[in-house]
């Protein structure tokens, strides 16, 4: 067994014992009440999930195992002469709870490089789809095709003990993550570059190699990929992609099936597809106003127009956050360093200056501040990755790190199948009538 897996087993075994004790003593403690409005309105704020890898504070933003994004940018291992964190290190942190050394991150990087070979039939499945199929549909189809490789599914069929579920889940998670950049790059080169594919470079780190296979050799773009793959990885357990992966995984569907469920959720415009929608909205704004750099007044009236047409302003708002997303700030800092004069990047910053007060003035939007998706497309576009319908695939490759590390934890902690109670409006009316009788 590799030493990362050994370490994971050690910490997960200790955590499972700790949870057993907590539940024996406090299992009946009330975490909060559930309001009728929460049952109807997306279960906002109901603390009904455990996800060990990260925790979201509405005002401060995400912390991965206690570390904020600025701290991760400072403390996670980097490539030689690099400034941005390597997602390999973040994966180690989410899995073990320990800050990785350079050697730990390099070990994960080498493991993923070794496992990155994608079987031919996966490419054949991609090729069987019309080339104009949305990249997220191609991505999900490829993940399902890759499911033939599941060690978990095979072992389950052969009969394994519950206590070994985590082991095969871990193996599948590592192999799946290793292969995603190759699959994503294949989809990109197939759809936009006439099928001229680029072979992997085994000497590069996971994100650097991804950038290389996409066809971008600029070192700043590789740095962007490292930052991008780190900050999009996890956002606690209740967001659609994390929750869907966890939910489907709870039926003991193998990691390929569970992750694919997460990705079909990420492909929704209120979740991960918002990064595509943002850049479309900005380009439309630039086109309609006939300028690459519209004034703040022009942007303000365009935002009002979007709202008056009953549409959302993509990249703004959040179900949990109530402040500017630190993932937006990290990208803004990157932009200030690498492309401060790019007109689309500057437009993103100008939108940030005017949008929050307009959104707040509607009186109904709970969070008028930008989320991660408000910024990402403009940076990609700056470096020449202009095909916005591919952006959510990049998000998906990163999100794999968080949701699959979480799935390893779900299995190691022996979480059962998820099955919350649902009710009907008829039931609600009867229940309200009974409450009224009791109060009378
Ligand atoms: N533009 C216009 N209206 C918005 C809005 C926005 N950016 N954000 C919220 N609203 C509206 C909602 O549609 C809702 O309207 P109705 O009452 O008419 O249905 C109202 O404001 C209240 O919504 P909320 O409680 O503030 O927000 P929710 O928790 O329901 O939804 C989110 C959160 C992210 C879906 C929403 O803010 C939104 O649609 N934002 C734009 C899409 C986006 O950027 N998504 C990416 C989120 C990050 C990610 O997952 O990647």
């Amino acid at each position: 067994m590799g030493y990362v897996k050994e370490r994971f087993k050690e910490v997960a075994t200790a955590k499972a014992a700790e949870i057993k004790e907590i539940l024996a003593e406090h299992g009946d403690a009330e975490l909060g009440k559930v309001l009728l409005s929460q049952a109807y309105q997306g279960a906002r704020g109901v603390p009904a999930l455990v996800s060990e890898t990260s925790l979201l504070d509405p005002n401060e933003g995400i912390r991965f195992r206690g570390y904020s994004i600025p701290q991760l940018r400072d403390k996670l291992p980097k490539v030689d002469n690099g400034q941005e964190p390597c997602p390999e290190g973040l994966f180690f942190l989410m899995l073990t709870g320990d800050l990785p050394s350079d050697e730990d991150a390099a070990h994960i990087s080498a493991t993923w490089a070794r496992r990155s070979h994608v079987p031919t039939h996966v490419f054949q499945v991609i090729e069987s789809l019309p080339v104009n199929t949305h990249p997220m549909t191609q991505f999900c189809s490829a993940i399902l095709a890759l499911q033939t490789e599941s060690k978990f599914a095979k072992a389950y069929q052969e009969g394994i003990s519950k206590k070994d579920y985590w082991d095969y889940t871990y193996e599948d998670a590592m192999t799946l993550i290793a292969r995603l950049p190759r699959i994503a790059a294949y989809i990109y080169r197939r759809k936009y570059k006439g099928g001229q594919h680029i072979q992997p470079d085994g000497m590069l780190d996971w994100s650097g190699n991804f950038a290389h296979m996409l066809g971008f050799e600029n070192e700043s773009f590789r740095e962007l990929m490292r930052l991008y793959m780190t900050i999009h990885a996890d956002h606690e357990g209740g967001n659609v992609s994390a929750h869907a992966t966890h939910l489907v995984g709870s039926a003991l569907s193998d990691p390929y099936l569970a992750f694919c469920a997460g990705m079909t959720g990420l492909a929704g415009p209120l979740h991960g597809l918002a990064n595509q929608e943002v850049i479309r909205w900005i380009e439309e704004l630039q086109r309609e106003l006939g300028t690459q750099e519209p004034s703040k007044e022009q942007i303000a009236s365009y935002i009002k127009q979007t709202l008056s047409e009953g549409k959302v302003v993509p990249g703004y708002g959040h179900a949990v956050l109530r402040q500017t997303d630190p993932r937006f700030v990290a990208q803004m800092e990157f932009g200030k360093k690498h492309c401060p004069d790019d007109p689309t990047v500057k437009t993103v910053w100008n939108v940030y200056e005017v949008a929050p007060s307009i959104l707040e003035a509607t009186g109904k939007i709970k969070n008028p501040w930008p989320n991660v998706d408000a910024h990402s497309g403009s940076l990609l576009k700056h470096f020449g990755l202009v095909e916005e319908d591919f952006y959510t695939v990049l998000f998906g490759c990163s999100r794999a790190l968080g949701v699959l590390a979480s799935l390893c934890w779900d299995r190691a902690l022996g979480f059962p199948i998820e099955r919350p109670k649902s009710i009907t409006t008829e039931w609600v009316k009867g229940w309200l009538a009974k409450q009224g009788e009791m109060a009378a």
Side-chain angles (χ1 to χ4, degrees), residues 355-369:
S357 61
I358 299 170
L359 297 179
E360 192 152 36
T362 64
K364 69 167 186 176
I365 299 170
K366 295 193 190 67
N367 179 40
W369 301 102

Side-chain angles (χ1 to χ4, degrees), residues 30-49:
E30 273 187 35
L31 271 177
K33 52 186 176 183
V34 180
L35 306 178
L36 189 53
S37 58
Q38 288 173 309
Y40 274 97
Q41 292 165 353
R44 291 291 181 289
V46 179
L49 287 170

Side-chain angles (χ1 to χ4, degrees), residues 80-115:
D80 284 348
N81 302 317
Q83 309 268 308
E84 298 298 342
C86 284
E88 288 91 328
L90 177 67
F91 183 75
F92 182 94
L93 175 69
M94 288 190 290
L95 200 62
T96 65
D98 302 330
L99 261 187
S101 63
D102 288 355
E103 290 71 33
D104 295 328
H107 176 82
I108 300 242
S109 207
T111 306
W112 289 349
R114 243 191 350 266
R115 293 188 183 204

Side-chain angles (χ1 to χ4, degrees), residues 386-398:
V386 295
E387 301 86 356
E388 74 275 356
D389 57 356
F390 185 73
Y391 293 171
T392 312
V393 175
L394 295 176
F395 194 159
C397 290
S398 169

Side-chain angles (χ1 to χ4, degrees), residues 44 269-272 274 307 311-319 322 327 359 364-367 371-373 395:
R44 291 291 181 289
L270 296 188
H271 189 22
L307 293 173
K311 299 178 192 161
V312 297
V313 176
Y316 280 76
H318 201 273
R322 294 296 175 258
R327 300 172 299 174
L359 297 179
K364 69 167 186 176
I365 299 170
K366 295 193 190 67
N367 179 40
N371 58 58
V372 66
D373 300 312
F395 194 159

Side-chain angles (χ1 to χ4, degrees), residues 311-346:
K311 299 178 192 161
V312 297
V313 176
Y316 280 76
H318 201 273
V320 180
L321 280 170
R322 294 296 175 258
Q323 268 303 332
T324 298
D325 190 334
R327 300 172 299 174
F328 177 91
V329 176
Q331 294 180 90
M332 191 157 79
E333 285 170 8
F334 187 94
K336 295 228 152 102
K337 194 160 137 198
H338 294 269
C339 45
D341 299 320
D342 182 288
T344 302
V345 172
K346 277 160 77 181

Side-chain angles (χ1 to χ4, degrees), residues 191-255:
K191 181 156 186 186
Y192 310 109
K193 304 290 169 187
Q196 292 182 331
H197 299 290
I198 299 171
Q199 289 307 306
D201 179 346
M203 301 307 286
L204 290 168
D205 58 300
W206 188 70
S207 320
N209 185 37
F210 192 5
H212 160 73
M213 289 187 290
L214 287 169
F216 297 87
E217 300 301 349
N218 180 312
E219 189 47 42
S220 296
F221 184 81
R222 287 184 188 165
E223 282 285 90
L224 176 62
M225 278 295 99
R226 290 174 192 120
L227 177 65
Y228 188 108
M229 292 295 139
T230 300
I231 63 176
H232 286 80
D234 208 31
H235 217 223
E236 73 170 32
N239 66 78
V240 170
S241 52
H243 191 188
T245 306
H246 165 79
L247 171 67
V248 173
S250 83
L252 292 188
S253 305
D254 63 62

